[in-house]
Amino acid sequence: MLTLYQVFGASGDLAKKKTFPALFGLYKNDLLPKDVHIVGYARTKMDEAEFHKRATSYIKNPNDEADINAKIAEFKSFSTYVSGSYDDPASFKELNKHLEEIEAGYQHKECNRLFYLALPPSVFVPVAKNVKAECYVTTKGGTNRIIVEKPFGKDLESCRELIGSLKQSWTEDETFRIDHYLGKEMVKNILVIRFANVAMGAAWDRNSISNVQITFKEPFGTEGRGGYFDEFGIIRDILQNHLLQVLSILTMERPVSFSAEDIRDEKVKVLRAIPPIEQKDTLLGQYGAANGKPGYHDDDTVPRNSVCPTFAATTLFINNPRWEGVPFILKAGKALNEAKVEVRIQFKDVTSGIFKDIGRNELVIRIQPSEAIYLKMNTKLPGLLMRAMPTEMDLTYKRRFTDTKIPEAYESLILDALKGDHSNFVRDDELDIFTPILHWIDGKAGPPPRPVSYPYGSRGPKEIDAFTAKYGYRRPSDDYAWPITNLSAL
C-alpha cells in the first residue's frame, strides 16, 4: 500500500531540524513503508533542488559515509515539493492534483495519507479544514491521519476552541497531537521502571516520597526568536506541555494494558485530581545580561517592556490517596548554566537514631542529555571507620548499552502515527491546569507580575533555593559530587 506523507510548513525550522531528519532516520533503518512518498508544502516558492537541500541539511553524516550518502540520494528521489497558501482552497486542489499524480504511478488501489502540520497554531484550523475538503483520500481501505504540534492553544478556553474546530473536520481516531517528550526513551521507560519492578512500586507513594522535581534547563536564550517566545512564554512552551506530560506518566495508576486508551485513561484521571495552581506556589524569572551574553530585552524581537517569564518554577499537588500532600515542583528556564532535563524523586529522611545528618535517597531519571537512571543511596565508607557516605547505583545508558542507538523522539512518534498507535500522543481531554497562572501573567486578573531577574548562565533566580526548600527539598551537602572516584578527598 502506498503511503503519502505530507509535511506542511516544510520550509520552516521544525520541519528542517526535526521532521525530515526523523523521516530519514526511519527510512535508513527500513522502518518506513516500502512504498512511501514524502511531499513538502509551504508558502515559500522554491524549486525541488532547493527543497531537497533544505530537507536534508540537518541529516547527520559526519564521516561522509558512502552508504549514508546513497540513502540520502534515495530519500530525495521520493520527496517532492508544492508551494501554496494555507487558507486558499485552490492551493489545496493543486496539492491534491499532485498527490493523485503520484498515486497514478503505483499499482496500489489503496493509499494512506498522513498530514503533518509543522505549523504555528494560528493556521491549524484553516489547513485542517482545507485538507479535509480537498485532499482527503476516499478510496476503500485507505486511511487519513492528521498530526498537529503543540502548543494546543494559549489557555484552556483557546485549547478547547482549537480542539473543537479541528474536530469539525477530523475524528479523534484520525488526530495525533504530538508532544515530542512522550517519544523520548527515558519518558517511555518510566512505565517500565514503575510497573515492572516490585521494589520501585512499593516506595512510589506519599509514605516514602518527600517531594518530586521535574526540571528543564536550556543554556541559551531566545537568540532572535523572542517574538515567538514572548507570545507564549516558558509555561506554555515547556511546563504545560512537556513537563505536565512527564508528570502524568510518573504519577498515574497502573493501566490495565499498554493499549493507547488504557494508558491515556489513567493519565487523565491523575490530571483531573490536580487543583489549579496558585500564585503563591509560583516563582517567575527573566534573564538579564551577564557573562558577555545579552539579556532578554537585548533581543530586538522582544517587546521593550515585556514581563514575559523566561524561567518558571511552580508547585502542584495531586488530591488522591497515593499522592496527597506530596509537592511536585516543575521548573523550566532559558539561559541557564547547563542543558538538562531530569526527574528527581527525593525520599523521606531515615528514622533518627544511629544515623545523624545522613543524606536522603534520591531516584534520578535523566531524560537528556546522556540518558541515565541512578539511585543515590548511603553506603559504608570503605575502611576501618563506621562512616556512611553517599554513592549511586548507576545505570548510564551510553555505558550499559554500548551498541544500541536510542531513537530520536520524533522518529518514535512518527512511526507510531504511521502504525495508528495513539499511546504516546495527547488526547483531547488531557485538561490544562495552568489557566489561572497564565491569565495572571497575561494581566487578565489584574496587573501582570514582574519576574525577578537572574543572570544569563546562572542556575536561575537566587530565590529558587528558598522556593524548593519551602516544599521540603533538601539540597545535598557541598562535599557531595557525582560520581565520587577519589576517597582520599573525603
Side-chain angles (χ1 to χ4, degrees), residues 175-217:
T175 306
F176 292 76
R177 299 175 194 86
I178 274 192
D179 185 319
H180 73 271
Y181 264 60
L182 292 177
K184 288 188 176 292
E185 180 70 18
M186 297 307 294
V187 175
K188 294 196 290 185
N189 198 10
I190 291 172
L191 286 176
V192 180
I193 294 169
R194 286 194 60 191
F195 301 121
N197 297 288
V198 172
M200 289 294 178
W204 213 272
D205 59 28
R206 63 192 296 267
N207 298 314
S208 300
I209 293 173
S210 168
N211 59 84
V212 178
Q213 291 190 62
I214 306 174
T215 302
F216 174 100
K217 301 174 78 172

Side-chain angles (χ1 to χ4, degrees), residues 107-374:
Q107 298 297 318
H108 308 288
K109 293 182 180 179
E110 298 92 13
C111 175
N112 295 327
R113 291 186 180 182
L114 278 83
F115 306 93
Y116 187 109
L117 275 56
L119 296 166
S122 57
V123 292
F124 280 177
V125 173
V127 171
K129 182 179 178 180
N130 282 314
V131 166
K132 179 63 182 286
E134 307 298 343
C135 303
Y136 194 89
V137 65
T138 56
T139 56
K140 186 176 180 181
T143 61
N144 298 271
R145 293 173 186 143
I146 189 166
I147 305 171
V148 295
E149 279 273 355
K150 66 92 180 170
F152 314 116
K154 297 189 71 173
D155 55 18
L156 182 56
E157 182 180 350
S158 59
C159 176
R160 284 176 171 165
E161 183 180 347
L162 177 59
I163 288 173
S165 298
L166 288 173
K167 278 190 168 185
Q168 292 178 15
S169 303
W170 296 85
T171 67
E172 181 66 17
D173 192 52
E174 294 173 324
T175 306
F176 292 76
R177 299 175 194 86
I178 274 192
D179 185 319
H180 73 271
Y181 264 60
L182 292 177
K184 288 188 176 292
E185 180 70 18
M186 297 307 294
V187 175
K188 294 196 290 185
N189 198 10
I190 291 172
L191 286 176
V192 180
I193 294 169
R194 286 194 60 191
F195 301 121
N197 297 288
V198 172
M200 289 294 178
W204 213 272
D205 59 28
R206 63 192 296 267
N207 298 314
S208 300
I209 293 173
S210 168
N211 59 84
V212 178
Q213 291 190 62
I214 306 174
T215 302
F216 174 100
K217 301 174 78 172
E218 283 183 338
F220 49 83
T222 51
E223 298 184 348
R225 297 184 68 248
Y228 169 83
F229 180 84
D230 203 80
E231 181 183 356
F232 291 97
I234 197 72
I235 291 181
R236 290 187 181 94
D237 197 35
I238 304 298
L239 270 74
Q240 78 166 1
N241 297 295
H242 302 329
L243 301 195
L244 193 62
Q245 289 298 321
V246 174
L247 172 71
S248 66
I249 295 173
L250 194 72
T251 58
M252 67 186 229
E253 294 299 319
R254 180 180 181 134
V256 174
S257 74
F258 277 120
S259 73
E261 293 315 300
D262 286 340
I263 290 173
R264 299 200 297 182
D265 282 346
E266 296 303 330
K267 287 172 60 184
V268 168
K269 285 179 187 177
V270 77
L271 291 174
R272 285 177 174 169
I274 301 173
I277 299 165
E278 298 184 30
Q279 295 178 19
K280 66 181 178 63
D281 294 321
T282 303
L283 172 65
L284 304 174
Q286 188 183 87
Y287 69 87
N291 304 310
K293 296 288 188 176
Y296 183 62
H297 287 136
D298 296 324
D299 186 333
D300 291 337
T301 62
V302 171
R304 291 302 88 200
N305 297 318
S306 172
V307 292
C308 176
T310 61
F311 175 97
T314 190
T315 304
L316 50 82
F317 297 87
I318 301 172
N319 293 337
N320 67 18
R322 179 183 293 274
W323 297 113
E324 187 75 37
V326 176
F328 290 84
I329 305 166
L330 277 54
K331 301 186 300 180
K334 302 181 78 66
L336 298 178
N337 60 329
E338 61 181 330
K340 181 174 73 174
V341 183
E342 70 176 22
V343 175
R344 183 173 296 268
I345 300 168
Q346 187 171 81
F347 293 90
K348 293 184 175 181
D349 291 320
V350 298
T351 304
S352 59
I354 60 173
F355 297 110
K356 299 206 178 350
D357 297 325
I358 196 169
R360 285 177 169 177
N361 297 148
E362 289 185 349
L363 177 67
V364 180
I365 303 169
R366 177 70 63 88
I367 296 172
Q368 67 179 43
S370 301
E371 293 88 346
I373 307 167
Y374 62 93

Side-chain angles (χ1 to χ4, degrees), residues 423-445:
S423 301
N424 297 306
F425 293 84
V426 180
R427 199 166 68 184
D428 62 345
D429 55 354
E430 295 185 26
L431 299 176
D432 172 32
I433 62 170
F434 286 90
T435 293
I437 292 296
L438 293 172
H439 284 178
W440 174 49
I441 293 170
D442 292 342
K444 295 180 179 179

